[in-house]
Amino acid sequence: MRLLGLACGQEDGSAEVLLKAALTAAAREGTAVEMVRLTDLSLVTAATADAGDDAAWFCDRLLDADGVIVSSPTYTRSAPGALKLLIDRAFGPRTDVVFVREALARREHGRAEQEETRGLLGLDTAPDPRVLKPRVAGFIAVGGCPSPHWRTLTLPTLHALAFPLHMAVADQMEVPTPGGRGGIATDPAAVLRAERLGGAVARQLGLPHDEVRFLGEPGTCPMCHLDLIVLRGGRAECGTCGAAGRFVVEGGDVRVDFSPAGTASSVHTLAELEEHYRELLSAASLEPDLQEIDKHAAAFRDSVPVLRPPRP
C-alpha cells in the first residue's frame, strides 16, 4: 500500500512536522510513504491553463496512491489559496468516481459515443480506471492562533480534495501552533496525535469506502465530522459536505438531528455524487448552442474597460 503526503506550508514548518510524524507512523504499519510539498508545484490559473503546470503530475501521483494525508497551515481562517488552486486544477470530472465510472461503461459502446460522452461530461482526457480504486484520507489543520474560530474553514477546505474521488476520511485533527516556524515539534501531544492519525489511515488502506471507520473526534455532522453548520430557512445543512438536518433546542442547548435522507445528501456519499452527475447532465442538455450564446454575450464583450498589469 502506498500513502501520499501533501505538505501545504513552509518547508520544515509546523504543518510539515506533523505530516512527517503521521507518515512515519504509517510507515511503521508497513506502508510505503512519500511526500509532496505544495510550494514545489508550479500552478497556473484556469485562465492561463494552456501554459501547463504541475497539477496533472500531482493528480497522477495521487491516483497511484492508496491514500493521502494533507497537512495545512491556516491563513486568514482557511487553507492557503495555492491548495484551493491545486484542487481546482487537478480535480473535476476526470477525477470524479461517477463521471469516470459512467465514461468507462459507455466506452464499451464504441468510439463515437465515447467521444460524445467525453465532451458532454467535460472530460479532457480518456477516463482513468485508477480513479475507481478505494482510497483513505487524513487531514491535519495547523493554526497560529489559540482561538478556534480563526481556523474554522481550514478542515472544510481540505475535504474538497476527498469527495470527488469518494475517499473515506479516517481521521482529522486541528491544532494551534506554539511559537514560530516548526514550533509544533515542541508539543508532544500534537505530535502524538498526528502519529495516531497516520496509523488510523495506514491500517485502513485498501478497504472499501463503507468499511473505513472514522477514528477522530465525532463533530456535529455524522458524515464529515465537522461543526460548520449553515442555516437555510428552517433547515440545518453541513457547510462542509451538505448533509441536511434540523435544529433542535433543548434546555438552552442546540443540536442538529440528521435523518437518513439528510445524510444521503452529503457529498461524501456515492448517492449524492450520482445525483450531481445526473444534475450536470441535465443542465448540459439544456444549455443554448454556441451561436445563441455568442449573440447574447456580444453586448458585454467591450462594455467595461479592462485593466491589466504591465508585462516586460
Side-chain angles (χ1 to χ4, degrees):
M1 290 292 168
R2 299 176 61 184
L3 180 60
L4 179 67
L6 177 61
C8 301
Q10 292 180 321
E11 183 175 343
D12 296 323
S14 289
E16 185 168 310
V17 167
L18 292 186
L19 177 62
K20 288 178 176 177
L23 292 175
T24 301
R28 290 197 292 266
E29 300 287 339
T31 301
V33 301
E34 52 193 0
M35 186 185 85
V36 172
R37 290 189 175 107
L38 181 62
T39 53
D40 286 339
L41 301 181
S42 173
L43 301 169
V44 299
T45 64
T48 56
D50 58 338
D53 64 6
D54 294 325
W57 176 88
F58 172 79
C59 185
D60 197 51
R61 305 286 80 72
L62 182 56
L63 293 183
D64 277 341
D66 299 285
V68 63
I69 297 176
V70 184
S71 185
S72 173
T74 299
Y75 297 162
T76 319
R77 304 185 75 230
S78 188
L83 176 59
K84 185 62 169 64
L85 179 58
L86 175 63
I87 293 170
D88 290 345
R89 293 284 296 120
F91 301 106
R94 62 182 172 178
T95 55
D96 185 293
V97 291
V98 175
F99 279 70
V100 170
R101 183 193 70 193
E102 294 301 314
L104 287 169
R106 295 190 185 196
R107 188 167 64 175
E108 302 300 320
H109 297 289
R111 180 175 176 79
E113 185 173 347
Q114 177 190 354
E115 293 301 321
E116 178 186 348
T117 301
R118 282 172 52 183
L120 185 62
L121 303 186
L123 295 172
D124 53 3
T125 59
D128 191 329
R130 292 178 298 171
V131 169
L132 303 183
K133 76 175 179 178
R135 289 180 182 82
V136 181
F139 298 129
I140 300 171
V142 181
C145 180
S147 300
H149 65 279
W150 281 98
R151 301 188 297 274
T152 302
L153 301 175
T154 307
L155 282 174
T157 302
L158 303 190
H159 274 251
L161 188 146
F163 67 78
L165 284 161
H166 199 46
M167 286 193 275
V169 180
D171 199 358
Q172 59 196 358
M173 61 179 285
E174 182 184 89
V175 62
T177 308
R181 175 176 173 175
I184 203 72
T186 66
D187 184 345
V191 172
L192 185 63
R193 178 67 181 86
E195 292 175 343
R196 195 177 87 201
L197 182 147
V201 173
R203 287 190 294 273
Q204 301 188 80
L205 294 176
L207 291 180
H209 182 279
D210 292 344
E211 293 182 18
V212 174
R213 290 193 303 135
F214 180 77
L215 300 176
E217 291 70 32
T220 301
C221 176
M223 303 304 294
C224 68
H225 305 282
L226 293 176
D227 300 318
L228 182 63
I229 304 298
V230 177
L231 178 62
R232 296 195 186 278
R235 187 179 73 161
E237 181 181 292
C238 176
T240 301
C241 75
R246 61 185 184 91
F247 284 110
V248 177
V249 181
E250 292 179 342
D253 293 327
V254 180
R255 72 173 195 275
V256 180
D257 280 350
F258 291 91
S259 66
T263 56
S265 66
S266 168
V267 297
H268 282 297
T269 68
L270 194 58
E272 178 59 25
L273 292 175
E274 290 170 342
E275 177 61 28
H276 181 60
Y277 168 82
R278 290 189 292 269
E279 184 179 46
L280 291 182
L281 281 188
S282 177
S285 67
L286 298 174
E287 186 174 297
D289 62 40
L290 293 179
Q291 287 186 340
E292 188 71 10
I293 293 172
D294 188 67
K295 181 176 72 174
H296 287 80
F300 299 98
R301 290 207 176 94
D302 299 316
S303 59
V304 178
V306 178
L307 301 180
R308 293 183 174 89
R311 301 296 184 200

